[in-house]
Amino acid sequence: MLSFTYRLPTTLVFGPGRLSELETTPLLPKGAKALIIIGQSGNILRQGYLARVQGLLGARGVKTTVFDGVRANPRTEDVDAAAAQARSMGAEFIVALGGGSVLDSAKAVCLAATKEAPFWQGFEAKAYEGAQGLPLVAIPTTAGTGSEGNGAALICGAPGKRGFMHPAFFPALAIVDPELTASMPPRLTAITGMDAFFHAVECFLSTARQPMSDMLCLEAAHLVTRFLPQAVDQGDDLNARTALAWASTAAGMALALSSPISQHALEYSFSGSGRGSEHGAGLVVLSRPYFRHLIGLAEAQGCDDILDRLLNLAVAMGFGADADEDGHPFLQALDALLEASGLDTLRAEDMGYAADEIPAYVAAAMQFKDARNFANTPVAMGEADVTAIFEGVFSR
């Protein structure tokens, strides 16, 4: 029997060229002072995106200052520094301009700016229960995390990478302009696109799924498969960029309605380690051994509905639903997508990880055994299974 809750409070403005509406939209949060949060790489400055956003806001009388210290795999100390700056300037709303790390950091800043305590400790102490937070305007410049479409944030701290959820994390306004993603180089395009793809796949398989998330997930999986190779080959193809931007946002919305499964928990062992590896790349190197093992568990545990769902994903990716000697159609479709996107040869060793560290990766992943990632995994998966998956990562 169906039973679910549907809530997506963010107003979404989507389409090429729609960033210009920042100057005129009545949907902008009220206030005359805003903190703009960007990454430390400098790309937002080089592409002229920061100056453009500041100009659009300035034209409507909003004074802005900039925090440019967000790192990849955002750190809790970056959140605290940005929150202190927001309090000091009297910011009335926050603008996140960048990729997923920037958007996730900005979500945390919206809460942290309302308290003096460090964000991580404050969250664990339940200091933000019932807090409103500062309003957030999310302007993504990559197409992968879909963070503009949900109320979750991934932040790294001393214990590792953790997911935080709060109603205040939903942006008040999200402006998704695919033109801003055209500056991504081929490798980043591929990795972020696969991040969106795995969000869709995991949410479609999750036991927390619901009808609306199912529709979004199948749409996103189809669009990534169809348009990611094209965007990797021709970065200025606005049609492909638009399709991927919507796929990313759709999969991000699915994260608000369903949940990721244990593939994400395993990946946090990589991108949460402090070595600077990309989350999407970690998902890629885990994907084939992870889904091979998940399919084996589903067959052994008689989870026919999950095997059917994997067939549905394969069909959405353009593959037939009949298994043959080459294996499950979803695995065939996944192999084809990785090859077409130039990621089929990516290895964990390329990111600085080694087989002799497998026990540490397993231990880090099993810290989430009681969290929603494992709880919503549609098959029973224990430590021995996690070990086997990591061994598969390094046996290719």
Side-chain angles (χ1 to χ4, degrees):
M1 299 291 290
L2 284 176
S3 177
F4 61 89
T5 299
Y6 172 81
R7 180 177 183 268
L8 283 174
T10 298
T11 297
L12 175 65
V13 175
F14 182 97
R18 299 202 68 180
L19 178 63
S20 62
E21 296 179 28
L22 188 63
E23 181 179 350
T24 58
T25 178
L27 302 170
L28 191 75
K30 303 299 182 184
K33 294 181 181 179
L35 176 66
I36 301 176
I37 297 178
I38 64 174
Q40 66 174 195
S41 71
N43 183 61
I44 298 299
L45 290 135
R46 289 190 295 271
Q47 297 298 329
Y49 298 157
L50 175 61
R52 189 176 172 196
V53 167
Q54 286 184 302
L56 292 168
L57 290 173
R60 60 189 300 165
V62 178
K63 296 181 180 180
T64 60
T65 59
V66 178
F67 178 84
D68 62 357
V70 174
R71 291 169 276 183
N73 299 308
R75 307 290 303 181
T76 185
E77 54 265 34
D78 300 341
V79 169
D80 294 336
Q85 185 171 334
R87 287 193 297 270
S88 176
M89 69 170 288
E92 294 166 274
F93 63 94
I94 304 294
V95 177
L97 178 62
S101 293
V102 169
L103 269 61
D104 282 9
S105 296
K107 290 177 178 181
V109 170
C110 287
L111 274 185
T114 67
K115 306 285 184 181
E116 293 289 341
F119 169 76
W120 195 297
Q121 291 90 324
F123 208 100
E124 289 188 333
K126 304 184 184 306
Y128 302 114
E129 287 191 354
Q132 293 296 315
L134 296 178
L136 172 64
V137 177
I139 307 174
T141 60
T142 62
T145 69
S147 187
E148 67 277 2
N150 58 61
L154 294 173
I155 306 294
C156 296
K161 195 170 191 176
R162 294 289 183 273
F164 297 88
M165 301 180 69
H166 194 282
F169 286 172
F170 282 98
L173 172 65
I175 299 179
V176 182
D177 187 336
E179 291 179 355
L180 302 183
T181 69
S183 63
M184 287 193 295
R187 184 179 185 278
L188 183 59
T189 297
I191 287 173
T192 54
M194 290 307 300
D195 188 10
F197 174 79
F198 291 121
H199 287 164
V201 169
E202 291 187 56
C203 287
F204 189 70
L205 298 177
S206 172
T207 59
R209 62 186 180 265
Q210 57 163 281
M212 184 61 77
S213 64
D214 281 354
M215 291 188 288
L216 292 167
C217 291
L218 290 174
E219 167 89 334
H222 167 73
L223 290 175
V224 172
T225 305
R226 169 67 177 83
F227 289 100
L228 182 58
Q230 191 170 330
V232 170
D233 290 340
Q234 296 178 296
D236 60 352
D237 186 329
L238 186 57
N239 184 53
R241 291 293 187 185
T242 300
L244 290 177
W246 168 235
S248 174
T249 299
M253 292 163 66
L255 288 169
L257 302 172
S258 179
S259 95
I261 58 175
S262 54
Q263 184 191 10
H264 262 63
L266 270 63
E267 197 290 319
Y268 298 158
S269 301
F270 291 149
S271 60
S273 66
R275 301 185 192 181
S277 62
E278 299 140 309
H279 175 57
L283 291 170
V284 166
V285 300
L286 276 162
S287 62
R288 285 178 282 197
Y290 178 86
F291 286 105
R292 278 198 301 268
H293 199 82
L294 184 142
I295 288 170
L297 290 175
E299 291 172 341
Q301 296 172 20
C303 300
D304 293 338
D305 59 329
I306 299 308
L307 297 172
D308 287 344
R309 282 188 162 261
L310 285 160
L311 291 178
N312 289 337
L313 285 165
V315 171
M317 297 171 71
F319 276 68
D322 296 323
D324 56 27
E325 64 276 4
D326 293 325
H328 194 283
F330 174 76
L331 295 177
Q332 297 175 39
L334 177 60
D335 280 339
L337 175 57
L338 292 175
E339 181 178 0
S341 303
L343 296 174
D344 55 313
T345 60
L346 184 64
R347 299 289 184 269
E349 292 87 344
D350 300 334
M351 300 184 291
Y353 302 103
D356 60 7
E357 296 179 289
I358 287 177
Y361 307 144
V362 173
M366 293 310 296
Q367 291 184 42
F368 296 92
K369 63 182 175 59
D370 297 321
R372 68 174 186 152
N373 302 79
F374 276 93
N376 293 328
T377 298
V379 296
M381 183 176 288
E383 185 170 344
D385 300 303
V386 172
T387 299
I389 292 167
F390 277 113
E391 288 174 346
V393 168
F394 292 98
S395 65
R396 300 180 60 212

